[in-house]
Amino acid sequence: MRRYIATIGAAAILLPLTYVLPAFQNYQLATVAAYLCATAGLTVLTGQNGQLSLGHGALMATGAYTVALMQNAIGNLPLSLAAGVVVTTVAGAVIGLAAARLRGPYLAGVTLAVAVVVPGLTTMFDDVLGGDQGLTFYLAPPPFGYDFPFERWQAWIALAAALLTMLLLGNLAGSRYGREFRAVRDDEIAAQLSGIHLARTQILAFVVSAAAAGLGGGVLAVLAQSVSPGAFSLTLSLFLVMAIVVGGLGSLAGAVWGAILLVALPDLTARATDVFALPAAFAQRLEGNLPLAIFGGTLIVVMIMAPGGIHGLVTHQLTQRIGKRGR
Amino acid sequence: MRRTVLTLAAVLVVAGCSSEPGSGGGASVPGVTDTEIVIGTHMPLTGPASAGYSQIAPATKAYFDFVNAAGGVNGRKITLKVKDDGYNPANTQQVVRELVLQDKVFAILNGLGTPTHTGVLDFLNSQRVPDLFVASGSRSWDQPGKYPGTFGFNPDYTVEGKILGSYVQQNLPGKKTCFLGQDDDFGRDSLAGVTGVLGDAGVAVKQTYTTSVTNVGPQVDAFRSNACEVVVLATVPGFTALTIGTAARQGFTPQWIVSNVGGDYNTLAKSLGDAAPLLEGLLGANYLPAASAASDPWVQLFQRINTQYNAGAPFDGNTVYGMSVGYLFVQVLQAAGRELTRESLIDAVEKGGYTGPGLGPLRFSADDHSGYGGLRMTRVTDKVQDYFGPTYETDSEGGPVTEYTLTPPAPPANGIPPAA
C-alpha cells in the first residue's frame, strides 16, 4: 500500500513539474526517466541478486530497435513499447539461462560479449536495422491539440514507464521473490539449504532486469524518434553499472540517483569546459572525453568517501540530523 | 505536511501561469534581437570523422567574426554555437535539442554528416527551425514538400557519383572499376551515381565500411584479389587515409578517385604522415577554390580572414569550405532584410540567384533545395591538389553530364556580400 501511495505522490509532483519546466529540461527529465527503467532493473540484478551484467546497454538496444521496427510496421506506441519489453524479456531469458551457470568474472565476460555483439548486429543486418545510421520512425503528435508541447508529452510517456517500473520492481523486492534474490546474493549455499532453487531465482532476476532495460531502451528510442547503435555502445553498459554503484547499490532509490547522474554529468562537464577559458583545440578534445574521466573519478571518490553511494550518503545525513534533533 | 501542500500548491499555480508556450507576441523571433543573431551547428570535433571536419566550424566562425567586426548584418552580430556530436547520431539528437530548445537558436547552419543529420530532420521540421546548408551531399535534404526548411550545400552524392563515373568512362575506359562506400545514404547515393553512368556491371566489386569499425583490411583485400584497377571512394577523410594506407601495406596501388568530402589533400597528408607520398596522382572532384590556389581572389580573402580571425589555423579545403558556408549565410541574411524572421530567411533562400566562391551553380528555388549542382576534377601532383579540365554539372536523375561554363565572380572588395 505504501508503495502505491508513494507512486501516486511522485506522479502528483512530477506532473505539475512538466508544466513548469522549459522544453529542454522536460526532455532531460524524460531521459532520466528512461535511464531509470534500466538502472532500476540493473539494481535488482546486481544490487539485490548479486549478478553483474556488463551488457544491459545491449538489452536497451534490443528494446529500442524493437520499438523502432514496430513503429514503422504498425505505428501503435503502447503496442510497440509492449513488444519491446517482450522481445527483451525473451533475450534476457536466453542470456539468463547461460548466466545461471556462470559466476563472477565469467558472467561479466558473457554479458560483455552481448554488449559488443548487439551493436555489431546492426551493421550486419543493415538492410533491416540501418547500420550506423540507424532507423528513424514516425511518432504520432500528442493527442491534446496542436499547441501541446511535444517534450511534455514525451516526458509523460517516459515518467509513466519509470513509475510503473519502480512500482513493480519495488513490489517484487518486497515479496517472497525479493527475499529469495537477496538470500542468493548473500550466501548461495545457505539459500539452497533453505530450499531456494538457485538457478531459477537467478534466471528470474535476469529476466526481470532485462524487461526493465528493454522498456528503458524503448522509451529512449521514443524520445529521439530514432535508434542508432551509437546510443547503445559498450560505454553505455559500463556507465549503467557505474551509475548504480555511485547512486547506491542495493536500493531502488540509488537507481534514481544513478539515472540523474547519467544525464547530468555530460551536461555539467560541457558547462565546465565553457566556464574555464581553455584553448579551443584542448576544450574540443576534453568535451568528448571528459565525461568518461569524470565519471570514473566520481566512482573512485564515492567508493572511498561513501561506500553506500549517494543514496547511502543522503540517508546517513538525514538519520543523523533527525537523531540530533531527538536528543 | 502543511509545507509540502503549500509547495505543491505553489507549483500548480506557477504551472497554470506558464502553460502558454510562446504563442503570443509574434514580434519575438527565437535567437534574433536588435543586436544579435544566434545560430547553431553540430560537428564532429572528436571521434572517427573529426579529422579535418573539426576545422570547418571555426572557419565559419572566423568569417562571422570578420563580418561582425565590420558591423554585422543590419546591425546584428552573428553568434555561432558549435556542439560536438562525435559523428554519433545519438549525440546529434541530444545536442540539436539543446541548441533549439535550450539555447533557442534562430537556425541550424551547416550541421555535418549524413547519418547524424538524418536523425534530426523530423525534429527540426516539427520545431520549424530553418536547417540551412547541411554539410553533406545526401539527397534527403532536397525534399521541399516534406522538409520545407532544409537546404543542402554540397553537390549531392549522386551528382558527384555521375561526374566521377563519367570521368572513368571517358578517361579510364576498359579499366576494372570498384567502389568503397560508407554504409549509409552517403555511400548508397554515391554508388547510385557511379552505376548510373557505368551501369551496375560496370562496377566490379562493391564494398562498404562503417565508421565504428576502424579496419578496412577485408574490403581492401577484396579489391586486391579481384585485381581492381580503379577504386572510387565515398569515404570520410579518416577512412580515405585508412584505405589508402591499408592498401599500400598490402602492396596494392590502384587509381584512387575520392569524393570531395573525403579527398582534401592537406587533411589526408596529415593523417598519413610519412606515407603522404601515396597520395601522388590521387583523383577527386571539388566545387570550391583549391586551398593552394594562391592567385584566386576568394582564397586570398579567406587567407586574410584566417590569419586575422582564426588564429592562423592551418589553411586547407576545410577552411575554404567553412568560410564559403559563412559567406552564403551572410548573403542570405542580407537578402532576408531587416525584418528577420524564420519565414523571411527561408523565402530568401528560395528566391535563389546566389553566387559565391563555388564553381558550379547554386540552384535554390521553391522546389529545389539541393546545394551546388556541379564539380570539377582534381589531381594531386607534387603535393599540390589542383583542378584540371572543365566544370561539369548534372542532376541526380538520369540527365546527362554536361560542361558548366560560367566562372565564379570575384568577391566584393570588402569581402562582405552587399545588401540586396
Side-chain angles (χ1 to χ4, degrees):
Chain A
M1 196 59 205
R2 198 170 52 86
R3 281 190 209 95
Y4 289 94
I5 294 173
T7 307
I8 293 168
I13 294 171
L14 290 168
L15 187 68
L17 194 64
T18 59
Y19 279 88
V20 184
L21 290 179
F24 186 63
Q25 271 68 35
N26 259 336
Y27 176 75
Q28 286 185 312
L29 180 67
T31 314
V32 170
Y35 279 130
L36 176 56
C37 298
T39 52
L42 192 57
T43 296
V44 168
L45 183 73
T46 306
Q48 300 183 348
N49 191 230
Q51 301 188 72
L52 178 65
S53 166
L54 299 179
H56 261 52
L59 290 170
M60 290 181 82
T62 310
Y65 273 94
T66 310
V67 167
L69 292 172
M70 283 290 288
Q71 277 296 107
N72 283 337
I74 298 168
N76 181 323
L77 187 63
L79 197 66
S80 301
L81 284 172
V85 173
V86 170
V87 171
T88 317
T89 306
V90 172
V94 173
I95 304 167
L97 274 175
R101 296 163 183 276
L102 298 170
R103 294 287 172 275
Y106 301 100
L107 176 58
V110 167
T111 51
L112 184 69
V114 174
V116 174
V117 165
V118 169
L121 288 179
T122 59
T123 308
M124 205 156 177
F125 301 103
D126 60 335
D127 298 346
V128 190
L129 302 177
D132 274 358
Q133 188 171 318
L135 298 171
T136 55
F137 58 87
Y138 177 74
L139 189 63
F144 307 105
Y146 193 75
D147 281 339
F148 194 85
F150 198 66
E151 283 70 30
R152 192 183 300 156
W153 172 235
Q154 290 179 313
W156 285 7
I157 296 173
L159 288 170
L163 288 175
L164 182 71
T165 307
M166 290 296 275
L167 178 67
L168 293 179
L169 291 182
N171 282 345
L172 183 76
S175 72
R176 182 170 67 89
Y177 296 107
R179 284 194 298 280
E180 288 184 1
F181 286 175
R182 289 190 291 277
V184 167
R185 172 196 65 188
D186 291 339
D187 192 330
E188 290 188 0
I189 295 168
Q192 271 177 313
L193 282 174
S194 29
I196 296 172
H197 194 298
L198 203 61
R200 203 184 293 155
T201 310
Q202 286 177 327
I203 294 170
L204 181 69
F206 208 101
V207 167
V208 166
S209 126
L215 182 60
V219 171
L220 211 56
V222 169
L223 298 187
Q225 292 162 65
S226 74
V227 279
S228 56
F232 305 100
S233 59
L234 176 61
T235 320
L236 173 65
S237 294
L238 298 179
F239 269 164
L240 287 174
V241 176
M242 286 201 268
I244 60 163
V245 174
V246 174
L249 206 55
S251 84
L252 287 174
V256 178
W257 290 110
I260 293 173
L261 276 181
L262 281 174
V263 174
L265 268 187
D267 203 43
L268 287 178
T269 46
R271 254 160 239 253
T273 45
D274 281 351
V275 170
F276 302 112
L278 300 166
F282 184 61
Q284 279 173 17
R285 227 164 259 282
L286 272 188
E287 216 163 284
N289 305 321
L290 201 57
L292 267 170
I294 289 196
F295 222 130
T298 314
L299 185 67
I300 294 169
V301 172
V302 166
M303 285 302 92
I304 293 172
M305 309 291 287
I310 297 177
H311 181 62
L313 206 62
V314 171
T315 45
H316 181 68
Q317 290 286 334
L318 279 180
T319 47
Q320 269 204 331
R321 214 189 268 176
I322 291 166
K324 264 183 202 155
R325 208 182 284 164
R327 229 176 282 154
Chain B
M1 190 62 204
R2 229 182 77 208
R3 195 187 289 171
T4 325
V5 173
L6 279 177
T7 320
L8 197 64
V11 169
L12 283 167
V13 169
V14 177
C17 298
S18 66
S19 61
E20 284 295 306
S23 51
S28 81
V29 179
V32 179
T33 66
D34 287 343
T35 54
E36 197 186 19
I37 303 169
V38 183
I39 54 174
T41 191
H42 63 90
M43 293 267 160
L45 303 178
T46 54
S50 63
Y53 290 169
S54 61
Q55 287 150 41
I56 292 175
T60 312
K61 225 173 183 169
Y63 184 78
F64 290 153
D65 288 344
F66 166 75
V67 173
N68 290 344
V73 181
N74 289 321
R76 297 185 179 105
K77 306 268 163 83
I78 307 169
T79 305
L80 175 64
K81 292 191 173 234
V82 185
K83 300 276 180 191
D84 178 18
D85 65 11
Y87 209 63
N88 177 341
N91 294 349
T92 313
Q93 294 283 353
Q94 189 74 32
V95 298
V96 168
R97 274 176 175 79
E98 203 176 332
L99 286 169
V100 171
L101 301 175
Q102 172 116 318
D103 301 341
K104 307 255 188 273
V105 295
F106 174 56
I108 296 290
L109 175 68
N110 201 225
L112 190 146
T114 305
T116 50
H117 200 78
T118 305
V120 292
L121 276 179
D122 286 304
F123 171 72
L124 291 175
N125 185 38
S126 68
Q127 299 281 336
R128 297 189 159 56
V129 180
D131 177 23
L132 301 192
F133 316 137
V134 184
S136 146
S138 169
R139 280 180 294 174
S140 318
W141 324 140
D142 182 20
Q143 301 185 61
K146 198 173 170 198
Y147 301 116
T150 297
F151 296 84
F153 183 79
N154 300 17
D156 79 47
Y157 294 127
T158 306
V159 165
E160 182 182 41
K162 280 172 73 179
I163 290 172
L164 296 179
S166 96
Y167 177 85
V168 172
Q169 194 176 44
Q170 285 164 21
N171 300 282
L172 303 161
K175 301 258 188 194
K176 191 168 194 179
T177 304
C178 304
F179 181 90
L180 174 67
Q182 192 161 297
D183 190 13
D184 51 33
D185 289 347
F186 167 24
R188 286 190 279 272
D189 287 359
S190 180
L191 181 62
V194 176
T195 54
V197 172
L198 298 177
D200 196 44
V203 181
V205 182
K206 304 176 185 85
Q207 294 281 323
T208 59
Y209 73 93
T210 57
T211 50
S212 51
V213 182
T214 47
N215 173 23
V216 291
Q219 290 92 326
V220 168
D221 190 55
F223 295 140
R224 187 180 51 82
S225 55
N226 281 289
C228 295
E229 293 164 286
V230 176
V231 181
V232 181
L233 299 176
T235 48
V236 294
F239 278 80
T240 310
L242 185 66
T243 307
I244 292 176
T246 306
R249 268 204 300 280
Q250 294 191 12
F252 172 59
T253 51
Q255 173 64 58
W256 303 105
I257 304 185
V258 193
S259 161
N260 73 85
V261 294
D264 179 60
Y265 175 78
N266 291 351
T267 308
L268 296 176
K270 204 171 144 202
S271 295
L272 283 169
D274 292 342
L278 290 171
L279 297 169
E280 279 304 303
L282 181 79
L283 289 172
N286 212 332
Y287 55 99
L288 294 172
S292 56
S295 61
D296 186 294
W298 288 98
V299 171
Q300 288 168 355
L301 169 69
F302 291 161
Q303 248 164 350
R304 216 171 66 227
I305 297 172
N306 193 53
T307 316
Q308 206 173 346
Y309 294 97
N310 202 15
F315 190 83
D316 59 24
N318 300 295
T319 324
V320 174
Y321 181 94
M323 293 199 189
S324 301
V325 168
Y327 184 85
L328 180 60
F329 184 68
V330 173
Q331 244 181 331
V332 169
L333 277 185
Q334 297 276 29
R338 198 170 290 276
E339 293 299 317
L340 186 62
T341 63
R342 286 175 164 171
E343 291 75 25
S344 74
L345 183 74
I346 286 171
D347 288 347
V349 186
E350 287 191 337
K351 241 185 295 169
Y354 298 103
T355 55
L359 309 177
L362 273 169
R363 298 166 174 152
F364 296 128
S365 71
D367 43 39
D368 190 343
H369 286 193
S370 67
Y372 277 103
L375 300 110
R376 195 176 168 197
M377 293 297 295
T378 64
R379 187 190 287 119
V380 175
T381 321
D382 296 331
K383 300 184 191 170
V384 176
Q385 186 171 41
D386 210 353
Y387 286 109
F388 66 94
T391 302
Y392 294 98
E393 68 168 323
T394 185
D395 58 16
S396 48
E397 308 299 327
V401 176
T402 54
E403 287 187 21
Y404 178 78
T405 47
L406 294 178
T407 49
N414 64 355
I416 299 171

